[in-house]
Amino acid sequence: MTASPLPPIVLDHPLVQHKLTRLRQASTSTAGFRRLTRELSLLMCYEATRSLSTEPVGIETPLERMEGRQLSGKKLCFVSILRAGNGILDGMLDLVPAARVGHVGLYRDHDTLEAVEYYMKLPDDVAERDCIVVDPMLATGHSAAAAIDRIKASGVRTIIFVCLLAAPEGVACLSARHPDVQIVTCSIDRGLDEKGYIRPGLGDAGDRLFGTR
């Protein structure tokens, strides 16, 4: 029996929606786009790590001894889907600097819209870690699903996918192929156009991050 897919988490926090609106604007500069993406990645990381387990730990404050909480269990690995995923990765590492990092290089064939892999590098102990996979856009879902196929083949069992924007088609594709993967996004937009771009979207995230548009 196939498990029911996890429903996507859409972040409706006022700060998220304000920054996303500014990110979408065509007039936002490359520097502004990078800054806003980094700020949004911090807010998305906060939500994506909400379910991390903690354990008690005794500490000394300047005034007395107390019992606090610290992270326990598996450690984190952030996996960036190249190249645009690196725009989200930087902000997440600001929040969790001890996390390990992996990269999966994929590009979308413009004729078939299927994902083609050209690079993959994961930490040796990735199977012992919880993974947060990052890519700004979940459009057709083929690239995300292909990346997660490879990550699961390395033994990883707990994966969260984080993106700025998603299309309903991408959510459906990823949920069908990986119903156990939680999707965290700032918005699920109207849909895809004939070229596979999210509408209304924000344009090509990679080009806007790296000034190659």
Side-chain angles (χ1 to χ4, degrees):
M1 184 175 179
T2 303
S4 298
L6 297 171
I9 295 173
V10 181
L11 305 183
D12 59 358
H13 191 285
L15 278 177
V16 170
Q17 294 305 312
H18 171 77
K19 292 178 185 297
L20 178 60
T21 296
R22 294 183 60 195
L23 194 73
R24 290 183 188 271
Q25 290 178 298
S27 59
T28 298
S29 66
T30 297
F33 194 91
R34 288 174 184 163
R35 185 187 70 252
L36 287 163
T37 299
R38 196 180 194 111
E39 291 170 355
L40 281 165
S41 71
L42 289 167
L43 297 169
M44 292 190 295
C45 188
Y46 177 83
E47 181 61 40
T49 56
R50 179 180 294 276
S51 61
L52 292 179
S53 59
T54 62
E55 62 186 6
V57 58
I59 63 169
E60 294 284 349
T61 78
L63 300 177
E64 63 180 82
R65 185 166 181 80
M66 66 161 286
E67 186 177 272
R69 308 291 301 181
Q70 66 180 9
L71 293 176
S72 65
K74 292 182 178 180
K75 304 303 182 184
L76 283 177
C77 176
F78 297 132
V79 181
S80 170
I81 298 180
L82 298 174
R83 63 178 170 151
N86 284 355
I88 296 177
L89 176 65
D90 291 341
M92 291 200 165
L93 285 172
D94 286 344
L95 198 60
V96 192
R100 295 293 186 267
V101 175
H103 293 89
V104 179
L106 298 167
Y107 68 88
R108 186 171 61 173
D109 185 292
H110 289 292
D111 294 325
T112 66
L113 300 184
E114 293 293 329
V116 180
E117 180 185 323
Y118 64 89
Y119 180 81
M120 179 169 171
K121 182 70 173 178
L122 301 174
D124 290 339
D125 64 348
V126 69
E128 302 169 15
R129 296 176 177 271
D130 294 334
C131 281
I132 297 178
V133 180
V134 297
D135 195 4
M137 316 295 276
L138 180 61
T140 65
H142 297 313
S143 294
I148 291 170
D149 283 341
R150 294 300 310 278
I151 295 166
K152 283 186 173 180
S154 298
V156 178
R157 291 293 172 263
T158 304
I159 298 173
I160 296 172
F161 182 82
V162 175
C163 59
L164 294 170
L165 295 182
E169 297 92 331
V171 172
C173 174
L174 184 55
S175 296
R177 288 178 57 176
H178 297 287
D180 58 322
V181 171
Q182 179 70 71
I183 298 169
V184 177
T185 186
C186 299
S187 176
I188 299 177
D189 279 14
R190 183 175 68 248
L192 301 178
D193 63 19
E194 67 279 359
K195 295 182 179 179
Y197 286 101
I198 297 175
R199 294 298 186 106
L202 49 75
D204 187 298
D207 284 345
R208 298 193 69 185
L209 278 165
F210 303 114
T212 52
R213 56 177 171 162

